[in-house]
Amino acid sequence: MIEDVIKISKEAGEIIRNGFGTNFNIEFKTNESNLVTEIDKASEKLITAFIKKNYPTHGILAEEGGETKNSSEYLWVVDPLDGTTNFAHGLPIFSVSIGVQKNGKTIAGVVYDVMQDIVYSAEQGSGAFANGKKISVGKNDKLSRSVLVTGFPYDVAGNPENIFKIFEALTKASRGLRRLGSAAIDFCYVAKGVFDGFWEISLNSWDICGGKLILEEAGGIVTDFYGNEIDIFSRKILATNRLIHNSMIEILKNN
Ligand code: IPD
Ligand code: CA
Ligand code: CA
């Protein structure tokens, strides 16, 4: 199955790459910051058609409305273009993210970094890979020497959950902080040791599903802000190399 997930992620990535920088249609979702382009929709259409053709009994949960609810034990969780704001503004950081669950557990995950042409992939229990090469989280155990990454929800203007206070505290406590704009890539960058930690307050299942498995298979951990285990439907995530997890929890708890 993982080969199929990789294949369709790359095909969707090709649609996105070909659309990058062209004059595509853009619509607003909940507000002027929350965009969807015709390329998001074309990518999703390709992926859902592939699943329906090749795995006709499986359920689908996809960001732009492509949902197939049924009683299958399998569920494909699809973000057809993660990083739409970057894509729409010409910043080449975005991905396709697909996770496949069986009875509520993710068994396969793929994140395709479209412009770098890197496929991150993992199957439950078999490690994590970037273009077929094994990847592992970093070994840094000091928050003060860590570079962290985060993202903001589309209602950030209202300062939900004290988001800016946390941002300030973790900026001061770490070596540096980045905001890339694709949560799926954020997970993968922790998985390969570029970053040591990633947190975000309001993600969706399609942002989390593929990347969470990839990070866990690379030796990392994903919990809520208190260290509790989460599933893909939790909104708040803390994803780290394990070694700085408790130091980040201390700061998240107190802010
Ligand atoms: C967004 C990106 C971004 C994160 C947002 C997500 P989208 O996904 O992953 O990094 O900060 O919370 O909604 O809308 O580009 O698929
Ligand atoms: Ca997303
Ligand atoms: Ca998306």
Side-chain angles (χ1 to χ4, degrees):
M1 177 183 272
I2 192 75
E3 293 308 324
D4 271 352
V5 189
I6 291 173
K7 177 174 176 277
I8 194 60
S9 301
K10 290 190 85 168
E11 282 176 23
E14 203 176 319
I15 292 185
I16 297 169
R17 201 159 39 240
N18 290 337
F20 187 52
T22 64
N23 197 16
F24 44 78
N25 178 269
I26 304 178
E27 290 165 47
F28 302 146
K29 288 162 93 176
T30 49
N31 60 37
E32 283 184 333
S33 301
N34 191 355
L35 312 176
V36 60
T37 74
E38 63 182 287
I39 307 294
D40 295 72
K41 293 180 186 172
S43 170
E44 181 164 309
K45 209 168 155 198
L46 181 90
I47 297 166
T48 53
F50 175 88
I51 302 166
K52 284 177 187 160
K53 180 162 180 262
N54 295 284
Y55 300 90
T57 59
H58 291 191
I60 304 172
L61 179 59
E63 180 176 12
E64 309 306 341
E67 187 172 87
T68 303
K69 275 196 185 139
N70 58 27
S71 56
S72 169
E73 52 187 355
Y74 291 95
L75 179 68
W76 292 61
V77 185
V78 177
D79 192 334
L81 202 178
D82 185 50
T84 297
T85 307
N86 288 349
F87 177 78
H89 285 258
L91 181 65
I93 304 174
F94 39 80
S95 59
V96 176
S97 173
I98 302 180
V100 184
Q101 293 208 314
K102 184 179 182 191
N103 296 322
K105 286 256 168 292
T106 310
I107 55 166
V110 168
V111 172
Y112 180 47
D113 180 331
V114 176
M115 300 308 279
Q116 295 208 77
D117 192 23
I118 302 176
V119 176
Y120 297 93
S121 62
E123 282 177 289
Q124 192 189 20
S126 304
F129 300 85
N131 283 348
K133 275 178 88 178
K134 204 165 177 8
I135 53 170
S136 307
V137 292
K139 295 189 171 60
N140 176 28
D141 62 0
K142 282 200 174 64
L143 185 54
S144 56
R145 295 184 182 182
S146 300
V147 178
L148 309 176
V149 68
T150 190
F152 299 126
Y154 291 117
D155 62 350
V156 65
N159 190 21
E161 311 261 352
N162 249 338
I163 191 169
F164 295 118
K165 202 165 164 237
I166 297 175
F167 189 86
E168 182 183 347
L170 281 168
T171 302
K172 288 177 178 166
S174 66
R175 178 173 281 168
L177 223 150
R178 300 290 181 267
R179 194 281 196 249
L180 298 186
S182 167
I185 290 181
D186 296 337
F187 277 110
C188 295
Y189 276 174
V190 179
K192 72 171 176 187
V194 173
F195 300 132
D196 293 312
F198 164 43
W199 86 98
E200 191 155 344
I201 64 162
S202 188
L203 287 177
N204 285 296
S205 56
W206 45 78
D207 303 310
I208 298 173
C209 196
K212 178 174 184 279
L213 181 68
I214 291 165
L215 175 54
E216 288 167 347
E217 288 295 327
I221 183 171
V222 185
T223 69
D224 67 10
F225 288 0
Y226 297 94
N228 302 306
E229 230 180 84
I230 55 155
D231 64 24
I232 61 165
F233 299 102
S234 310
R235 306 299 306 263
K236 289 186 188 175
I237 63 98
L238 172 62
T240 73
N241 67 0
R242 277 180 188 272
L243 304 172
I244 62 159
H245 211 74
N246 286 340
S247 310
M248 283 190 74
I249 288 173
E250 277 312 302
I251 292 184
L252 291 167
K253 263 197 325 215
N254 295 320
N255 284 280

